Amino acid sequence: MSSAKLVFEGREIDLPVIRGTEGEIGIDVSKLRKETGLITLDDGYGNTGSCQSAITFIDGEKGILRYRGYPIEQIAERAQFTEVCYLLINGHRPTNEQLSKYRNDLTHHTLLHEDMKKFFEGYPPSAHPMAIMAAMVASLSTFYQDTPEEADLNIVRILAKSKTLAAFAYKKSIGQPIVYPRNDLSWQANFLRMMFAVPSEDYERSPVLEDALNLLLILHADHEQNCSTSTMRMVGSSEANLYASISAAICALWGPRHGGANQKVIEMLQQILERGGDLQSFLDRVKSREVRLMGFGHRVYKNFDPRAKLLKGAADRIFNELGIHDPLLDLAKQLEEAALRDSFFVERKLYPNVDFYSGIIYRAMGIPTEMFTVMFALGRLPGWIAHWKEMREDASGYRIHRPRQVYVGENAREFEPR
Ligand code: CMC
């Protein structure tokens, strides 16, 4: 094993180097403070590896994304979301038998405890569904025990019940009666029915919508140590239960720099349209740092986000199949082109990310803007769980996540009596 040398005040310290299976190199500083009293400082953790993980590989320079070694393009074309959940969480593809049992389990745990319905009644109609989701997921821990015997069952429960919670939150927000899940439907069909069926008429399934939802869920399923997944690991490292950890991850996802960007992209496009569609003046406002171009830029991708590429292609297909035309899609494409021609974005390697086109597709599917980040959360759930499980089952154990700081405040001073 090679090592790196750190020289500080004439002293030389050897630091072990860890090599990943795809060639990334990490300098292991875990003994640094113990041996030298020094710590590392890394604002926003841009240079910090918080763990070793075998779940998802990203090469941000080349625009590569793989789940458990499988390229995202192949998974997106060939898999169903439930298989991706199994793959991410268990580390391997299921056999046909395992998959059918898994689907069956995920279907048979979709009902919520009837008492939970009362919780939805307490929120004002304007309540953001992300707030309701976070609260409801945390509330699940009052119904189900966090015991080692129920660990796998709790994972199945949350994967199954999350879509019911999301659909109930939506129904509450529009004042419609809730629609119970059905066991004869796939994950996607069940969710869409709970969202859009009403008791007064028959609900017609749409394979186009089910396929679009499948693609969106898969593309959001994991993205290694992003803000919400790191939150999941951090909260989980204190031995908080699965539901509490997921609730915290949902809150982290909500922010507009993370999953909340999909809602903000639509609001941004609508504003541009309302102001006459002048792209150049909008880009000028971005460049003067008055606003950010939402759905653009990424901590890891310095090239096209492969998920954005897949969604841009899918958007045309889905719009054609649904027979829809949305001026926001045209505007988004023009905005992308204009930004990619502009040196401000080129120099900073800012490209469209997954949130740039996802909202436009959700809109075409009839999903309201406020639900977009909830949709992201439903997709990201297996990724959060996979990381939580990987950490908790690490044979070498795990420590509570507790970073250090460099204190820059007042030195000790007297607190004089008044
Ligand atoms: N619009 C305008 N300028 C930007 C943008 C943007 N969207 N993103 C980055 N920049 C500029 C930034 O001002 C900085 O410029 P300078 O070096 O001159 O100060 C430079 O690019 C580097 O940006 P950064 O903020 O240091 O990059 P970061 O890695 O800390 O942030 C980000 C990444 C995703 C938070 C950021 O690009 C951003 O705010 N994007 C808009 C929100 C968004 O679309 N978020 C979704 C991310 S993908 C899905 C997900 O994770 O949820």
PDB file of all heavy atoms in Angstrom, residues 226 253 256-259 261 286 289 291-299 302 305 307 344-345 348 350 353-355 376, ligand 1:
ATOM      1  N   ASN A 226     -24.479  12.403  -1.970  1.00  0.00           N
ATOM      2  CA  ASN A 226     -25.098  13.727  -2.084  1.00  0.00           C
ATOM      3  C   ASN A 226     -25.591  14.197  -0.706  1.00  0.00           C
ATOM      4  O   ASN A 226     -25.520  13.457   0.283  1.00  0.00           O
ATOM      5  CB  ASN A 226     -26.253  13.638  -3.089  1.00  0.00           C
ATOM      6  CG  ASN A 226     -27.214  12.551  -2.681  1.00  0.00           C
ATOM      7  OD1 ASN A 226     -28.072  12.755  -1.852  1.00  0.00           O
ATOM      8  ND2 ASN A 226     -27.022  11.355  -3.230  1.00  0.00           N
ATOM      9  N   LEU A 253     -33.266  16.843   1.317  1.00  0.00           N
ATOM     10  CA  LEU A 253     -33.564  16.841  -0.118  1.00  0.00           C
ATOM     11  C   LEU A 253     -34.405  18.052  -0.526  1.00  0.00           C
ATOM     12  O   LEU A 253     -34.350  18.514  -1.677  1.00  0.00           O
ATOM     13  CB  LEU A 253     -34.314  15.549  -0.494  1.00  0.00           C
ATOM     14  CG  LEU A 253     -34.600  15.350  -1.980  1.00  0.00           C
ATOM     15  CD1 LEU A 253     -33.320  14.982  -2.730  1.00  0.00           C
ATOM     16  CD2 LEU A 253     -35.657  14.276  -2.211  1.00  0.00           C
ATOM     17  N   PRO A 256     -33.665  23.953  -2.270  1.00  0.00           N
ATOM     18  CA  PRO A 256     -33.594  24.236  -3.709  1.00  0.00           C
ATOM     19  C   PRO A 256     -32.240  23.964  -4.357  1.00  0.00           C
ATOM     20  O   PRO A 256     -32.168  23.856  -5.574  1.00  0.00           O
ATOM     21  CB  PRO A 256     -33.950  25.725  -3.806  1.00  0.00           C
ATOM     22  CG  PRO A 256     -33.765  26.276  -2.441  1.00  0.00           C
ATOM     23  CD  PRO A 256     -33.970  25.156  -1.477  1.00  0.00           C
ATOM     24  N   ARG A 257     -31.179  23.840  -3.559  1.00  0.00           N
ATOM     25  CA  ARG A 257     -29.902  23.487  -4.182  1.00  0.00           C
ATOM     26  C   ARG A 257     -29.799  21.990  -4.425  1.00  0.00           C
ATOM     27  O   ARG A 257     -28.877  21.515  -5.081  1.00  0.00           O
ATOM     28  CB  ARG A 257     -28.749  23.922  -3.288  1.00  0.00           C
ATOM     29  CG  ARG A 257     -28.574  25.414  -3.276  1.00  0.00           C
ATOM     30  CD  ARG A 257     -27.279  25.788  -2.661  1.00  0.00           C
ATOM     31  NE  ARG A 257     -27.122  27.227  -2.692  1.00  0.00           N
ATOM     32  CZ  ARG A 257     -26.003  27.850  -2.358  1.00  0.00           C
ATOM     33  NH1 ARG A 257     -24.967  27.153  -1.960  1.00  0.00           N
ATOM     34  NH2 ARG A 257     -25.926  29.148  -2.416  1.00  0.00           N
ATOM     35  N   HIS A 258     -30.711  21.243  -3.802  1.00  0.00           N
ATOM     36  CA  HIS A 258     -30.695  19.776  -3.946  1.00  0.00           C
ATOM     37  C   HIS A 258     -31.986  19.399  -4.677  1.00  0.00           C
ATOM     38  O   HIS A 258     -32.276  19.927  -5.741  1.00  0.00           O
ATOM     39  CB  HIS A 258     -30.549  19.178  -2.546  1.00  0.00           C
ATOM     40  CG  HIS A 258     -30.250  17.713  -2.483  1.00  0.00           C
ATOM     41  ND1 HIS A 258     -29.903  16.950  -3.567  1.00  0.00           N
ATOM     42  CD2 HIS A 258     -30.249  16.852  -1.420  1.00  0.00           C
ATOM     43  CE1 HIS A 258     -29.696  15.701  -3.176  1.00  0.00           C
ATOM     44  NE2 HIS A 258     -29.905  15.613  -1.887  1.00  0.00           N
ATOM     45  N   GLY A 259     -32.797  18.518  -4.115  1.00  0.00           N
ATOM     46  CA  GLY A 259     -33.984  18.009  -4.819  1.00  0.00           C
ATOM     47  C   GLY A 259     -35.034  19.072  -5.087  1.00  0.00           C
ATOM     48  O   GLY A 259     -35.822  18.951  -6.037  1.00  0.00           O
ATOM     49  N   ALA A 261     -34.716  21.690  -6.402  1.00  0.00           N
ATOM     50  CA  ALA A 261     -34.442  22.406  -7.655  1.00  0.00           C
ATOM     51  C   ALA A 261     -35.471  22.066  -8.742  1.00  0.00           C
ATOM     52  O   ALA A 261     -35.764  22.910  -9.590  1.00  0.00           O
ATOM     53  CB  ALA A 261     -33.026  22.088  -8.151  1.00  0.00           C
ATOM     54  N   VAL A 286     -28.439  35.967 -14.208  1.00  0.00           N
ATOM     55  CA  VAL A 286     -27.692  34.834 -13.616  1.00  0.00           C
ATOM     56  C   VAL A 286     -26.228  35.227 -13.471  1.00  0.00           C
ATOM     57  O   VAL A 286     -25.604  35.023 -12.419  1.00  0.00           O
ATOM     58  CB  VAL A 286     -27.830  33.560 -14.485  1.00  0.00           C
ATOM     59  CG1 VAL A 286     -26.925  32.446 -13.952  1.00  0.00           C
ATOM     60  CG2 VAL A 286     -29.284  33.080 -14.526  1.00  0.00           C
ATOM     61  N   ARG A 289     -25.234  37.335 -10.790  1.00  0.00           N
ATOM     62  CA  ARG A 289     -25.465  36.595  -9.531  1.00  0.00           C
ATOM     63  C   ARG A 289     -26.722  37.034  -8.793  1.00  0.00           C
ATOM     64  O   ARG A 289     -26.869  36.825  -7.589  1.00  0.00           O
ATOM     65  CB  ARG A 289     -24.260  36.697  -8.597  1.00  0.00           C
ATOM     66  CG  ARG A 289     -23.057  36.001  -9.182  1.00  0.00           C
ATOM     67  CD  ARG A 289     -21.800  36.304  -8.421  1.00  0.00           C
ATOM     68  NE  ARG A 289     -20.648  36.047  -9.269  1.00  0.00           N
ATOM     69  CZ  ARG A 289     -20.122  34.858  -9.463  1.00  0.00           C
ATOM     70  NH1 ARG A 289     -20.632  33.804  -8.899  1.00  0.00           N
ATOM     71  NH2 ARG A 289     -19.081  34.707 -10.271  1.00  0.00           N
ATOM     72  N   VAL A 291     -29.683  35.791  -9.645  1.00  0.00           N
ATOM     73  CA  VAL A 291     -30.398  34.504  -9.521  1.00  0.00           C
ATOM     74  C   VAL A 291     -29.468  33.389  -9.997  1.00  0.00           C
ATOM     75  O   VAL A 291     -28.474  33.649 -10.676  1.00  0.00           O
ATOM     76  CB  VAL A 291     -31.684  34.461 -10.397  1.00  0.00           C
ATOM     77  CG1 VAL A 291     -32.780  35.328  -9.841  1.00  0.00           C
ATOM     78  CG2 VAL A 291     -31.373  34.856 -11.850  1.00  0.00           C
ATOM     79  N   ARG A 292     -29.814  32.145  -9.658  1.00  0.00           N
ATOM     80  CA  ARG A 292     -29.090  30.986 -10.195  1.00  0.00           C
ATOM     81  C   ARG A 292     -29.908  30.365 -11.311  1.00  0.00           C
ATOM     82  O   ARG A 292     -31.147  30.433 -11.292  1.00  0.00           O
ATOM     83  CB  ARG A 292     -28.865  29.934  -9.111  1.00  0.00           C
ATOM     84  CG  ARG A 292     -27.682  30.290  -8.254  1.00  0.00           C
ATOM     85  CD  ARG A 292     -27.040  29.114  -7.571  1.00  0.00           C
ATOM     86  NE  ARG A 292     -25.732  29.580  -7.097  1.00  0.00           N
ATOM     87  CZ  ARG A 292     -24.715  28.818  -6.789  1.00  0.00           C
ATOM     88  NH1 ARG A 292     -24.808  27.515  -6.866  1.00  0.00           N
ATOM     89  NH2 ARG A 292     -23.575  29.324  -6.373  1.00  0.00           N
ATOM     90  N   LEU A 293     -29.227  29.779 -12.248  1.00  0.00           N
ATOM     91  CA  LEU A 293     -29.931  29.029 -13.292  1.00  0.00           C
ATOM     92  C   LEU A 293     -30.259  27.673 -12.688  1.00  0.00           C
ATOM     93  O   LEU A 293     -29.385  26.803 -12.553  1.00  0.00           O
ATOM     94  CB  LEU A 293     -29.031  28.899 -14.530  1.00  0.00           C
ATOM     95  CG  LEU A 293     -29.540  28.043 -15.689  1.00  0.00           C
ATOM     96  CD1 LEU A 293     -30.982  28.343 -16.046  1.00  0.00           C
ATOM     97  CD2 LEU A 293     -28.657  28.234 -16.909  1.00  0.00           C
ATOM     98  N   MET A 294     -31.510  27.501 -12.270  1.00  0.00           N
ATOM     99  CA  MET A 294     -31.882  26.277 -11.575  1.00  0.00           C
ATOM    100  C   MET A 294     -31.858  25.096 -12.548  1.00  0.00           C
ATOM    101  O   MET A 294     -32.197  25.233 -13.725  1.00  0.00           O
ATOM    102  CB  MET A 294     -33.273  26.424 -10.937  1.00  0.00           C
ATOM    103  CG  MET A 294     -33.349  27.550  -9.922  1.00  0.00           C
ATOM    104  SD  MET A 294     -32.002  27.546  -8.703  1.00  0.00           S
ATOM    105  CE  MET A 294     -32.450  26.161  -7.671  1.00  0.00           C
ATOM    106  N   GLY A 295     -31.448  23.927 -12.026  1.00  0.00           N
ATOM    107  CA  GLY A 295     -31.341  22.745 -12.885  1.00  0.00           C
ATOM    108  C   GLY A 295     -30.025  22.711 -13.639  1.00  0.00           C
ATOM    109  O   GLY A 295     -29.832  21.867 -14.520  1.00  0.00           O
ATOM    110  N   PHE A 296     -29.128  23.626 -13.319  1.00  0.00           N
ATOM    111  CA  PHE A 296     -27.808  23.662 -13.952  1.00  0.00           C
ATOM    112  C   PHE A 296     -26.731  23.545 -12.883  1.00  0.00           C
ATOM    113  O   PHE A 296     -26.886  24.061 -11.774  1.00  0.00           O
ATOM    114  CB  PHE A 296     -27.588  24.979 -14.712  1.00  0.00           C
ATOM    115  CG  PHE A 296     -27.652  24.827 -16.191  1.00  0.00           C
ATOM    116  CD1 PHE A 296     -28.851  24.501 -16.810  1.00  0.00           C
ATOM    117  CD2 PHE A 296     -26.519  25.005 -16.982  1.00  0.00           C
ATOM    118  CE1 PHE A 296     -28.920  24.366 -18.187  1.00  0.00           C
ATOM    119  CE2 PHE A 296     -26.583  24.869 -18.359  1.00  0.00           C
ATOM    120  CZ  PHE A 296     -27.779  24.550 -18.970  1.00  0.00           C
ATOM    121  N   GLY A 297     -25.623  22.913 -13.239  1.00  0.00           N
ATOM    122  CA  GLY A 297     -24.485  22.823 -12.330  1.00  0.00           C
ATOM    123  C   GLY A 297     -24.585  21.600 -11.442  1.00  0.00           C
ATOM    124  O   GLY A 297     -25.688  21.083 -11.183  1.00  0.00           O
ATOM    125  N   HIS A 298     -23.438  21.113 -11.019  1.00  0.00           N
ATOM    126  CA  HIS A 298     -23.413  19.944 -10.149  1.00  0.00           C
ATOM    127  C   HIS A 298     -22.059  19.857  -9.464  1.00  0.00           C
ATOM    128  O   HIS A 298     -21.042  20.188 -10.069  1.00  0.00           O
ATOM    129  CB  HIS A 298     -23.668  18.659 -10.956  1.00  0.00           C
ATOM    130  CG  HIS A 298     -24.089  17.520 -10.109  1.00  0.00           C
ATOM    131  ND1 HIS A 298     -23.181  16.705  -9.487  1.00  0.00           N
ATOM    132  CD2 HIS A 298     -25.318  17.083  -9.754  1.00  0.00           C
ATOM    133  CE1 HIS A 298     -23.848  15.802  -8.783  1.00  0.00           C
ATOM    134  NE2 HIS A 298     -25.146  16.004  -8.931  1.00  0.00           N
ATOM    135  N   ARG A 299     -22.047  19.428  -8.215  1.00  0.00           N
ATOM    136  CA  ARG A 299     -20.783  19.285  -7.504  1.00  0.00           C
ATOM    137  C   ARG A 299     -19.866  18.272  -8.190  1.00  0.00           C
ATOM    138  O   ARG A 299     -18.658  18.466  -8.291  1.00  0.00           O
ATOM    139  CB  ARG A 299     -21.063  18.866  -6.049  1.00  0.00           C
ATOM    140  CG  ARG A 299     -19.845  18.482  -5.229  1.00  0.00           C
ATOM    141  CD  ARG A 299     -18.874  19.633  -5.052  1.00  0.00           C
ATOM    142  NE  ARG A 299     -19.440  20.791  -4.389  1.00  0.00           N
ATOM    143  CZ  ARG A 299     -19.585  20.942  -3.062  1.00  0.00           C
ATOM    144  NH1 ARG A 299     -19.195  19.995  -2.259  1.00  0.00           N
ATOM    145  NH2 ARG A 299     -20.104  22.038  -2.565  1.00  0.00           N
ATOM    146  N   LYS A 302     -18.890  17.549 -14.232  1.00  0.00           N
ATOM    147  CA  LYS A 302     -18.310  18.698 -14.931  1.00  0.00           C
ATOM    148  C   LYS A 302     -18.459  18.436 -16.433  1.00  0.00           C
ATOM    149  O   LYS A 302     -17.637  18.804 -17.259  1.00  0.00           O
ATOM    150  CB  LYS A 302     -16.836  18.888 -14.535  1.00  0.00           C
ATOM    151  CG  LYS A 302     -16.655  19.094 -13.040  1.00  0.00           C
ATOM    152  CD  LYS A 302     -17.428  20.325 -12.503  1.00  0.00           C
ATOM    153  CE  LYS A 302     -17.525  20.329 -10.988  1.00  0.00           C
ATOM    154  NZ  LYS A 302     -18.574  21.192 -10.449  1.00  0.00           N
ATOM    155  N   ASP A 305     -24.727  15.606 -17.245  1.00  0.00           N
ATOM    156  CA  ASP A 305     -25.294  14.658 -16.286  1.00  0.00           C
ATOM    157  C   ASP A 305     -26.019  13.609 -17.137  1.00  0.00           C
ATOM    158  O   ASP A 305     -26.948  13.950 -17.880  1.00  0.00           O
ATOM    159  CB  ASP A 305     -26.261  15.447 -15.381  1.00  0.00           C
ATOM    160  CG  ASP A 305     -26.985  14.589 -14.361  1.00  0.00           C
ATOM    161  OD1 ASP A 305     -27.095  13.380 -14.570  1.00  0.00           O
ATOM    162  OD2 ASP A 305     -27.460  15.165 -13.360  1.00  0.00           O
ATOM    163  N   ARG A 307     -28.164  11.528 -16.520  1.00  0.00           N
ATOM    164  CA  ARG A 307     -29.604  11.446 -16.221  1.00  0.00           C
ATOM    165  C   ARG A 307     -30.363  12.532 -16.987  1.00  0.00           C
ATOM    166  O   ARG A 307     -31.469  12.317 -17.482  1.00  0.00           O
ATOM    167  CB  ARG A 307     -29.835  11.598 -14.711  1.00  0.00           C
ATOM    168  CG  ARG A 307     -29.090  10.573 -13.882  1.00  0.00           C
ATOM    169  CD  ARG A 307     -29.074  10.956 -12.411  1.00  0.00           C
ATOM    170  NE  ARG A 307     -28.448  12.248 -12.179  1.00  0.00           N
ATOM    171  CZ  ARG A 307     -28.426  12.877 -11.000  1.00  0.00           C
ATOM    172  NH1 ARG A 307     -29.008  12.316  -9.958  1.00  0.00           N
ATOM    173  NH2 ARG A 307     -27.835  14.046 -10.863  1.00  0.00           N
ATOM    174  N   PHE A 344     -19.701  32.102 -19.564  1.00  0.00           N
ATOM    175  CA  PHE A 344     -19.873  32.001 -18.102  1.00  0.00           C
ATOM    176  C   PHE A 344     -20.110  30.545 -17.697  1.00  0.00           C
ATOM    177  O   PHE A 344     -19.512  30.036 -16.753  1.00  0.00           O
ATOM    178  CB  PHE A 344     -21.058  32.876 -17.665  1.00  0.00           C
ATOM    179  CG  PHE A 344     -21.379  32.800 -16.189  1.00  0.00           C
ATOM    180  CD1 PHE A 344     -20.825  33.720 -15.301  1.00  0.00           C
ATOM    181  CD2 PHE A 344     -22.227  31.815 -15.677  1.00  0.00           C
ATOM    182  CE1 PHE A 344     -21.122  33.654 -13.929  1.00  0.00           C
ATOM    183  CE2 PHE A 344     -22.516  31.742 -14.319  1.00  0.00           C
ATOM    184  CZ  PHE A 344     -21.968  32.659 -13.455  1.00  0.00           C
ATOM    185  N   PHE A 345     -20.990  29.879 -18.446  1.00  0.00           N
ATOM    186  CA  PHE A 345     -21.353  28.496 -18.102  1.00  0.00           C
ATOM    187  C   PHE A 345     -20.292  27.513 -18.594  1.00  0.00           C
ATOM    188  O   PHE A 345     -19.982  26.540 -17.927  1.00  0.00           O
ATOM    189  CB  PHE A 345     -22.739  28.158 -18.684  1.00  0.00           C
ATOM    190  CG  PHE A 345     -23.808  29.054 -18.123  1.00  0.00           C
ATOM    191  CD1 PHE A 345     -24.163  30.229 -18.782  1.00  0.00           C
ATOM    192  CD2 PHE A 345     -24.421  28.768 -16.924  1.00  0.00           C
ATOM    193  CE1 PHE A 345     -25.112  31.084 -18.255  1.00  0.00           C
ATOM    194  CE2 PHE A 345     -25.376  29.621 -16.383  1.00  0.00           C
ATOM    195  CZ  PHE A 345     -25.721  30.780 -17.050  1.00  0.00           C
ATOM    196  N   ARG A 348     -17.213  27.515 -16.305  1.00  0.00           N
ATOM    197  CA  ARG A 348     -17.484  26.884 -15.003  1.00  0.00           C
ATOM    198  C   ARG A 348     -17.969  25.445 -15.152  1.00  0.00           C
ATOM    199  O   ARG A 348     -18.323  24.811 -14.157  1.00  0.00           O
ATOM    200  CB  ARG A 348     -18.511  27.714 -14.240  1.00  0.00           C
ATOM    201  CG  ARG A 348     -17.938  29.023 -13.747  1.00  0.00           C
ATOM    202  CD  ARG A 348     -19.012  29.939 -13.187  1.00  0.00           C
ATOM    203  NE  ARG A 348     -18.440  31.199 -12.711  1.00  0.00           N
ATOM    204  CZ  ARG A 348     -18.024  32.185 -13.494  1.00  0.00           C
ATOM    205  NH1 ARG A 348     -18.117  32.065 -14.806  1.00  0.00           N
ATOM    206  NH2 ARG A 348     -17.499  33.282 -12.988  1.00  0.00           N
ATOM    207  N   LEU A 350     -20.764  24.231 -16.333  1.00  0.00           N
ATOM    208  CA  LEU A 350     -22.130  24.089 -15.827  1.00  0.00           C
ATOM    209  C   LEU A 350     -23.012  23.501 -16.930  1.00  0.00           C
ATOM    210  O   LEU A 350     -23.151  24.087 -18.001  1.00  0.00           O
ATOM    211  CB  LEU A 350     -22.676  25.453 -15.386  1.00  0.00           C
ATOM    212  CG  LEU A 350     -21.877  26.174 -14.290  1.00  0.00           C
ATOM    213  CD1 LEU A 350     -22.417  27.587 -14.052  1.00  0.00           C
ATOM    214  CD2 LEU A 350     -21.909  25.372 -12.990  1.00  0.00           C
ATOM    215  N   ASN A 353     -28.568  19.503 -15.081  1.00  0.00           N
ATOM    216  CA  ASN A 353     -28.559  18.322 -14.203  1.00  0.00           C
ATOM    217  C   ASN A 353     -29.926  17.631 -14.259  1.00  0.00           C
ATOM    218  O   ASN A 353     -30.815  18.057 -14.993  1.00  0.00           O
ATOM    219  CB  ASN A 353     -28.135  18.718 -12.778  1.00  0.00           C
ATOM    220  CG  ASN A 353     -29.089  19.745 -12.158  1.00  0.00           C
ATOM    221  OD1 ASN A 353     -30.302  19.565 -12.198  1.00  0.00           O
ATOM    222  ND2 ASN A 353     -28.529  20.814 -11.599  1.00  0.00           N
ATOM    223  N   VAL A 354     -30.083  16.604 -13.453  1.00  0.00           N
ATOM    224  CA  VAL A 354     -31.288  15.759 -13.522  1.00  0.00           C
ATOM    225  C   VAL A 354     -32.569  16.576 -13.337  1.00  0.00           C
ATOM    226  O   VAL A 354     -33.622  16.246 -13.876  1.00  0.00           O
ATOM    227  CB  VAL A 354     -31.208  14.614 -12.472  1.00  0.00           C
ATOM    228  CG1 VAL A 354     -31.284  15.157 -11.047  1.00  0.00           C
ATOM    229  CG2 VAL A 354     -32.251  13.550 -12.701  1.00  0.00           C
ATOM    230  N   ASP A 355     -32.470  17.673 -12.576  1.00  0.00           N
ATOM    231  CA  ASP A 355     -33.674  18.444 -12.273  1.00  0.00           C
ATOM    232  C   ASP A 355     -34.126  19.347 -13.415  1.00  0.00           C
ATOM    233  O   ASP A 355     -35.222  19.896 -13.373  1.00  0.00           O
ATOM    234  CB  ASP A 355     -33.430  19.311 -11.022  1.00  0.00           C
ATOM    235  CG  ASP A 355     -33.309  18.457  -9.768  1.00  0.00           C
ATOM    236  OD1 ASP A 355     -34.039  17.467  -9.674  1.00  0.00           O
ATOM    237  OD2 ASP A 355     -32.480  18.779  -8.900  1.00  0.00           O
ATOM    238  N   PHE A 376     -39.052  12.955  -6.287  1.00  0.00           N
ATOM    239  CA  PHE A 376     -37.607  12.719  -6.179  1.00  0.00           C
ATOM    240  C   PHE A 376     -37.350  11.837  -4.947  1.00  0.00           C
ATOM    241  O   PHE A 376     -36.595  10.846  -4.998  1.00  0.00           O
ATOM    242  CB  PHE A 376     -36.903  14.079  -6.060  1.00  0.00           C
ATOM    243  CG  PHE A 376     -35.408  14.083  -6.209  1.00  0.00           C
ATOM    244  CD1 PHE A 376     -34.753  15.216  -6.698  1.00  0.00           C
ATOM    245  CD2 PHE A 376     -34.635  12.993  -5.857  1.00  0.00           C
ATOM    246  CE1 PHE A 376     -33.371  15.250  -6.828  1.00  0.00           C
ATOM    247  CE2 PHE A 376     -33.234  13.018  -5.983  1.00  0.00           C
ATOM    248  CZ  PHE A 376     -32.621  14.145  -6.460  1.00  0.00           C
TER     249      PHE A 376
HETATM  250  N1  CMC B   1     -26.291  29.112 -11.881  1.00  0.00           N
HETATM  251  C1  CMC B   1     -25.335  30.056 -11.915  1.00  0.00           C
HETATM  252  N2  CMC B   1     -24.081  29.880 -11.486  1.00  0.00           N
HETATM  253  C2  CMC B   1     -23.787  28.695 -10.962  1.00  0.00           C
HETATM  254  C3  CMC B   1     -24.738  27.654 -10.896  1.00  0.00           C
HETATM  255  C4  CMC B   1     -26.034  27.898 -11.382  1.00  0.00           C
HETATM  256  N3  CMC B   1     -26.954  26.950 -11.344  1.00  0.00           N
HETATM  257  N4  CMC B   1     -24.161  26.577 -10.332  1.00  0.00           N
HETATM  258  C5  CMC B   1     -22.902  26.921 -10.054  1.00  0.00           C
HETATM  259  N5  CMC B   1     -22.681  28.208 -10.448  1.00  0.00           N
HETATM  260  C6  CMC B   1     -21.404  28.941 -10.397  1.00  0.00           C
HETATM  261  C7  CMC B   1     -21.122  29.447  -8.978  1.00  0.00           C
HETATM  262  O1  CMC B   1     -21.615  30.760  -8.808  1.00  0.00           O
HETATM  263  C8  CMC B   1     -19.613  29.391  -8.946  1.00  0.00           C
HETATM  264  O2  CMC B   1     -19.110  30.467  -9.671  1.00  0.00           O
HETATM  265  P1  CMC B   1     -17.785  31.238  -9.132  1.00  0.00           P
HETATM  266  O3  CMC B   1     -16.703  30.202  -9.119  1.00  0.00           O
HETATM  267  O4  CMC B   1     -17.564  32.334 -10.104  1.00  0.00           O
HETATM  268  O5  CMC B   1     -18.129  31.730  -7.759  1.00  0.00           O
HETATM  269  C9  CMC B   1     -19.291  28.139  -9.755  1.00  0.00           C
HETATM  270  O6  CMC B   1     -20.377  27.996 -10.687  1.00  0.00           O
HETATM  271  C10 CMC B   1     -19.160  26.875  -8.918  1.00  0.00           C
HETATM  272  O7  CMC B   1     -20.385  26.719  -8.208  1.00  0.00           O
HETATM  273  P2  CMC B   1     -20.509  26.213  -6.716  1.00  0.00           P
HETATM  274  O8  CMC B   1     -21.714  26.831  -6.089  1.00  0.00           O
HETATM  275  O9  CMC B   1     -19.192  26.371  -6.013  1.00  0.00           O
HETATM  276  O10 CMC B   1     -20.738  24.675  -6.979  1.00  0.00           O
HETATM  277  P3  CMC B   1     -21.206  23.627  -5.911  1.00  0.00           P
HETATM  278  O11 CMC B   1     -20.619  22.348  -6.313  1.00  0.00           O
HETATM  279  O12 CMC B   1     -20.956  24.104  -4.522  1.00  0.00           O
HETATM  280  O13 CMC B   1     -22.816  23.611  -6.096  1.00  0.00           O
HETATM  281  C11 CMC B   1     -24.951  23.127  -6.955  1.00  0.00           C
HETATM  282  C12 CMC B   1     -23.481  22.698  -6.855  1.00  0.00           C
HETATM  283  C13 CMC B   1     -25.751  22.019  -7.588  1.00  0.00           C
HETATM  284  C14 CMC B   1     -25.513  23.405  -5.549  1.00  0.00           C
HETATM  285  C15 CMC B   1     -25.030  24.413  -7.826  1.00  0.00           C
HETATM  286  O14 CMC B   1     -24.553  24.144  -9.120  1.00  0.00           O
HETATM  287  C16 CMC B   1     -26.431  24.996  -7.887  1.00  0.00           C
HETATM  288  O15 CMC B   1     -26.849  25.736  -6.983  1.00  0.00           O
HETATM  289  N6  CMC B   1     -27.230  24.646  -8.943  1.00  0.00           N
HETATM  290  C17 CMC B   1     -28.594  25.104  -9.037  1.00  0.00           C
HETATM  291  C18 CMC B   1     -29.486  24.244  -8.174  1.00  0.00           C
HETATM  292  C19 CMC B   1     -29.672  22.871  -8.777  1.00  0.00           C
HETATM  293  O16 CMC B   1     -29.981  22.722  -9.944  1.00  0.00           O
HETATM  294  N7  CMC B   1     -29.556  21.843  -7.926  1.00  0.00           N
HETATM  295  C20 CMC B   1     -29.758  20.452  -8.322  1.00  0.00           C
HETATM  296  C21 CMC B   1     -28.486  19.656  -8.289  1.00  0.00           C
HETATM  297  S1  CMC B   1     -28.595  18.050  -9.111  1.00  0.00           S
HETATM  298  C22 CMC B   1     -29.742  17.113  -8.285  1.00  0.00           C
HETATM  299  C23 CMC B   1     -29.612  17.081  -6.813  1.00  0.00           C
HETATM  300  O17 CMC B   1     -28.528  16.846  -6.267  1.00  0.00           O
HETATM  301  O18 CMC B   1     -30.601  17.283  -6.152  1.00  0.00           O
END
